[in-house]
């Protein structure tokens, strides 16, 4: 799916975003405490995910029950 998204498949990118947006929002809400801050953080995180998708190494780690994408840093 990541390969398709990085090669310009808009549907694949949409599926990736939809698959993580609730997890990102809920984790942000727990960490930040307010709905508005969680929305802002979620938007920032998803934007970074999209812009750095090509550096994804293909590894997935579990963090407190959540799958977390680990990009090359």
């Amino acid at each position: 799916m990541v390969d398709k998204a990085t090669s310009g498949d808009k549907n694949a990118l949409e599926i990736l975003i939809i698959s993580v947006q609730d997890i990102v929002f809920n984790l942000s809400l727990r960490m930040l405490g307010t709905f508005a801050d969680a929305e802002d953080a979620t938007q920032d995180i998803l934007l970074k995910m999209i812009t750095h998708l090509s550096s994804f190494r293909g590894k997935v780690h579990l963090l407190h029950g959540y799958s977390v994408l680990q990009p090359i840093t």
Side-chain angles (χ1 to χ4, degrees), residues 15-73:
I15 290 168
L16 283 174
I17 292 169
I18 289 170
S19 71
V20 298
Q21 69 183 0
D22 288 342
I23 295 168
V24 170
F25 176 78
N26 289 330
L27 187 57
S28 297
L29 183 58
R30 254 190 278 155
M31 292 176 71
L32 300 172
T34 68
F35 194 82
D37 288 342
E39 284 182 323
D40 289 343
T42 300
Q43 185 175 14
D44 290 344
I45 291 165
L46 292 177
L47 183 58
K48 286 187 184 214
M49 182 190 87
I50 292 166
T51 57
H52 294 92
L53 197 56
S54 63
S55 64
F56 177 66
R57 289 190 286 193
K59 291 187 178 183
V60 176
H61 297 281
L62 291 179
L63 176 66
H64 301 288
Y66 292 110
S67 295
V68 179
L69 302 177
Q70 179 166 343
I72 295 174
T73 53

